[in-house]
Amino acid sequence: MRHLISTKDLSKDEILEVFSKAREFLDEKPRTLLKGKSITTIFFENSTRTLSSFETAAKRLDAKVLRLDVSRSSSSKGETLYDTAANLDAMNPNAIVVRHQHSGVPESLARYVNCPVLNGGDGKHAHPTQALLDLFTIYEHFKADVEGKRVLIVGDIKNSRVAASNIELLTRFNLDISLVAPPHFMPNLDIKKTYNIKEAVEHADIIISLRTQTERHQKQIYGSLKDYANDFCINKDLIKDKNLIVLHPGPVHRNIDISDEVLADKRCLVLKQVSNGVAIRMAVLLKLILGEER
Ligand code: NCD
């Protein structure tokens, strides 16, 4: 049984296959490739984009979607995750998409169910479909010429599962990653680091800006988000007329992560990421669900 718990679950060739399928799906036409299949979504943590993106992807392929409303489900009555999973499994879904505030939950769930499990984000651990759609957006923009492109990841890298998945995936595709963040947001990883954003932007082809993950901080680390913004907000002053693109997984803290002006700039591909995300999730659902049947 194949699952998508982290980006490592797919080989480079498989990812390129997913990209070419996703490219077909960019026409946004409804298809019947998953007609008769059912997909369960269980999101224990808030989500705007990822949940609606997975559900749109499933519906565009004609699958049925069962969304488990966690606030009303028996998890809130003390049922363990595994009993909830076993019960869901007994309804025979063809795939389960799960998001959880704790790292490792999707992986454990995968051991209890008889269908592919897709990780919609677990704690600080991983967010594989986000990294896939980020790389796909880069790949499309640079017309597949991505090797050696310089990526600058900016923000609360230490607490971000999006950063963790992007670091794994983009390194594997030979992009050249540098990290820029205040010291308390910098992870302890063997990747190029800098604390001088102005200098770092000079050499960047791609900026991936990240939200400060305040919900994961034990205490307030920065004086205020405004102080953080003074140093790290991606604004026009910083990127000038440079030939680069700006990505962000959302939700964006306006004028803290990225300025209004840059959000409206055509180099900012945030909404493109959202539409690419549906196509990528269609391709991934198809691969995991139909791959099993072959
Ligand atoms: C991210 C997440 O939830 O990990 N958002 C998303 O899925 N698009 C990033 C974030 O919350 O900052």
Side-chain angles (χ1 to χ4, degrees):
M1 176 80 56
R2 297 287 302 271
H3 303 285
L4 182 63
I5 306 301
S6 93
T7 42
K8 290 184 200 147
D9 292 327
L10 295 174
S11 71
K12 231 172 140 169
D13 285 346
E14 286 177 312
I15 291 169
L16 293 174
E17 257 173 57
V18 163
F19 285 2
S20 43
K21 261 278 163 258
R23 206 165 292 123
E24 291 173 30
F25 296 148
L26 289 176
D27 65 10
E28 299 184 357
K29 294 207 174 104
R31 286 164 164 89
T32 52
L33 297 163
L34 290 183
K35 193 177 171 64
K37 308 288 179 203
S38 62
I39 294 168
T40 299
T41 56
I42 328 175
F43 276 52
F44 292 89
E45 201 190 73
N46 294 342
S47 168
T48 317
R49 267 150 294 265
T50 307
L51 177 60
S52 50
S53 179
F54 266 112
E55 293 189 348
T56 304
K59 286 176 186 164
R60 251 181 224 166
L61 293 167
D62 210 15
K64 291 202 175 59
V65 175
L66 170 74
R67 182 190 308 177
L68 188 76
D69 181 348
V70 182
S71 63
R72 283 189 230 171
S73 77
S74 296
S75 321
S76 58
K77 299 182 191 160
E79 185 178 59
T80 68
L81 174 69
Y82 307 106
D83 287 323
T84 306
N87 280 280
L88 284 176
D89 197 45
M91 296 178 216
N92 281 322
N94 298 97
I96 297 177
V97 185
V98 60
R99 166 172 286 195
H100 203 281
Q101 59 276 23
H102 294 133
S103 302
V105 167
E107 191 177 358
S108 324
L109 191 66
R111 284 190 232 117
Y112 284 78
V113 297
N114 290 302
C115 67
V117 171
L118 291 94
N119 181 3
D122 63 328
K124 300 181 196 177
H125 171 237
H127 193 346
T129 55
Q130 180 67 46
L132 288 169
L133 77 89
D134 291 345
L135 178 60
F136 180 60
T137 304
I138 296 170
Y139 210 79
E140 292 300 281
H141 182 84
F142 291 101
K143 304 197 168 37
D145 178 22
V146 299
E147 287 215 9
K149 286 281 178 301
R150 288 161 304 184
V151 184
L152 185 65
I153 304 184
V154 183
D156 189 357
I157 304 165
K158 192 174 175 177
N159 293 297
S160 167
R161 56 193 173 210
V162 175
S165 287
N166 266 318
I167 289 170
E168 192 289 314
L169 185 65
L170 271 46
T171 306
R172 200 147 41 105
F173 277 78
N174 298 321
L175 283 92
D176 177 4
I177 303 180
S178 307
L179 311 179
V180 62
H184 40 270
F185 290 166
M186 195 61 107
N188 186 13
L189 292 174
D190 188 18
I191 308 255
K192 260 185 282 173
K193 298 185 181 87
T194 168
Y195 297 92
N196 183 341
I197 189 165
K198 282 209 175 79
E199 199 183 291
V201 166
E202 282 303 310
H203 309 291
D205 300 302
I206 300 139
I207 298 178
I208 301 181
S209 164
L210 300 168
R211 187 177 62 92
T212 36
Q213 311 275 308
T214 37
E215 74 277 26
R216 302 207 176 98
H217 301 162
Q218 308 290 337
K219 56 179 171 30
Q220 192 176 334
I221 338 188
Y222 229 76
S224 72
L225 283 180
K226 199 153 179 306
D227 290 343
Y228 169 82
N230 282 339
D231 295 336
F232 292 96
C233 182
I234 309 302
N235 56 30
K236 197 68 199 292
D237 205 31
L238 194 66
I239 65 169
K240 304 194 171 71
D241 291 320
K242 274 190 59 64
N243 182 18
L244 48 71
I245 55 173
V246 178
L247 308 187
H248 191 299
V252 176
H253 281 160
R254 254 177 198 271
N255 299 314
I256 293 169
D257 305 337
I258 305 181
S259 71
D260 285 339
E261 198 180 4
V262 171
L263 279 168
D265 190 297
K266 64 178 187 322
R267 292 171 291 173
C268 181
L269 303 187
V270 170
L271 294 178
K272 181 87 164 169
Q273 287 172 274
V274 176
S275 34
N276 285 344
V278 176
I280 282 290
R281 291 179 175 115
M282 288 170 78
V284 164
L285 283 170
L286 205 57
K287 176 169 180 59
L288 290 185
I289 295 173
L290 295 189
E292 286 305 315
E293 290 180 350
R294 269 190 236 124

